[in-house]
Amino acid sequence: MSVMKRLSMIFKSKANKALDKMEDPRETLDYSYQRQLELLQKVRRGVADVATSRKRVELQINGLESQSKRLEEQGRKALSVGREDLAREALQRRSNLQTQMADLKTQHDNLQAEEEKLTTASQRLQAKVDSFRTKKETIKATYTAAEAQTRINEAFSGISEEMGDVGLAIQRAEDKTAQMQARAGAIDELLASGALDDVSGSRGDDIQRELDRMGGGMDVELELAKMKAELGQGPAPKSAIEQGPPQSQPQQQGQTQQLRQPGEGA
């Protein structure tokens, strides 16, 4: 196969595919119905033209018949007055009219037969057009219903172009949401482990801050008790767990009195 033939086949196949995609059966049916109506209108005009010609021939025949009767009367009158020559002329003219009328009657019969034929064809075509119109509307309704059902099925199955775009948008939104959730969880873990500093200065909740404050106070009390024990002014310090929370102010005052030397004033 030559290159040109291959190119021609490719272009024709692509053009056929494009036309098939663009073609709407409903529009094609409407166009075919319109063409049939135009053809029916032409047939009806043809019937009207033939009927008009037939009527014109009938008028001509009627006119010739009137002239023939008049010539016959004129011939009788001429013969009654002894004018045989005039009577012969009148009869001769009447004979010519008879010949013309015979030709016109032949034409009239032909036109009448043509008119009947066209009338029958018009009636048949009218019945065909009516049947096609009914079938056309049925096919259009069936095609529209099938098209709607196809779109619904495609929407349910997610294979339609519109629903495919919606599905992709939902998938992207879910992916971004999952990514943000993972990022937030990772940052929380890094803040909790201390790998990242909380620049807002509000790390931890109120309970955690209270526990940190109590722990700091216990460390001070332990250090103070340790210094007293080294100076011989108190017992050995207990652990932070055994000691518990810092003592209240009255207890601290009692310890201060115990640390005073004997004989000192109150």
Side-chain angles (χ1 to χ4, degrees):
M1 182 181 293
S2 64
V3 176
M4 295 302 296
K5 288 184 178 180
R6 290 182 61 187
L7 288 175
S8 177
M9 182 177 294
I10 291 173
F11 287 138
K12 287 181 180 180
S13 61
K14 290 185 177 295
N16 185 43
K17 184 177 180 180
L19 289 175
D20 184 68
K21 186 177 181 180
M22 294 172 58
E23 183 182 8
D24 189 341
R26 293 165 295 187
E27 295 178 354
T28 304
L29 290 173
D30 289 336
Y31 178 74
S32 299
Y33 177 69
Q34 185 64 33
R35 293 298 304 271
Q36 290 185 12
L37 288 179
E38 293 176 357
L39 179 60
L40 178 60
Q41 188 65 24
K42 290 181 179 180
V43 173
R44 288 177 175 175
R45 282 198 297 265
V47 174
D49 293 339
V50 173
T52 301
S53 299
R54 176 184 58 78
K55 191 64 178 178
R56 187 181 299 112
V57 171
E58 288 180 357
L59 293 176
Q60 292 178 359
I61 292 174
N62 293 333
L64 292 177
E65 287 180 350
S66 299
Q67 293 181 15
S68 177
K69 291 179 179 180
R70 187 171 61 252
L71 289 172
E72 184 180 0
E73 292 177 357
Q74 290 176 354
R76 290 180 182 274
K77 288 181 180 181
L79 188 60
S80 63
V81 297
R83 295 293 307 269
E84 185 178 350
D85 55 340
L86 292 177
R88 185 180 289 108
E89 183 64 26
L91 292 176
Q92 183 64 41
R93 292 182 179 182
R94 182 175 178 274
S95 178
N96 294 334
L97 292 178
Q98 292 292 333
T99 303
Q100 294 180 16
M101 284 190 296
D103 295 338
L104 290 175
K105 287 181 180 180
T106 301
Q107 295 180 13
H108 178 272
D109 294 339
N110 293 335
L111 290 173
Q112 189 171 7
E114 187 69 20
E115 181 182 356
E116 292 176 356
K117 187 194 310 184
L118 290 175
T119 302
T120 302
S122 176
Q123 293 174 352
R124 291 179 179 177
L125 183 58
Q126 179 67 58
K128 183 178 179 180
V129 171
D130 294 339
S131 177
F132 181 80
R133 179 180 60 187
T134 303
K135 187 175 182 180
K136 171 181 72 72
E137 295 301 328
T138 302
I139 294 175
K140 287 176 60 178
T142 304
Y143 181 84
T144 302
E147 184 182 31
Q149 186 64 39
T150 301
R151 291 183 181 276
I152 293 173
N153 293 338
E154 287 180 350
F156 278 127
S157 60
I159 62 176
S160 64
E161 185 176 354
E162 295 82 359
M163 294 304 296
D165 295 339
V166 173
L168 290 176
I170 294 175
Q171 184 64 40
R172 288 196 299 270
E174 290 178 349
D175 293 342
K176 289 185 178 181
T177 301
Q179 183 178 1
M180 293 300 295
Q181 289 176 345
R183 184 177 179 84
I187 293 176
D188 289 340
E189 292 179 359
L190 292 175
L191 288 174
S193 64
L196 290 178
D197 294 332
D198 188 356
V199 297
S200 63
S202 59
R203 179 178 62 185
D205 53 13
D206 295 339
I207 296 176
Q208 185 64 41
R209 287 196 296 270
E210 183 67 19
L211 291 174
D212 294 341
R213 183 182 65 78
M214 291 175 61
M218 290 179 182
D219 292 340
V220 173
E221 293 299 329
L222 287 174
E223 186 68 24
L224 180 61
K226 183 178 179 181
M227 293 176 64
K228 288 180 180 181
E230 292 176 355
L231 295 174
Q233 298 179 358
K238 298 180 180 180
S239 64
I241 298 176
E242 295 176 351
Q243 184 177 1
Q247 298 178 355
S248 61
Q249 185 65 24
Q251 293 177 353
Q252 292 179 0
Q253 291 179 359
Q255 292 177 359
T256 304
Q257 293 177 359
Q258 292 177 0
L259 291 176
R260 294 178 180 176
Q261 296 294 330
E264 292 181 353

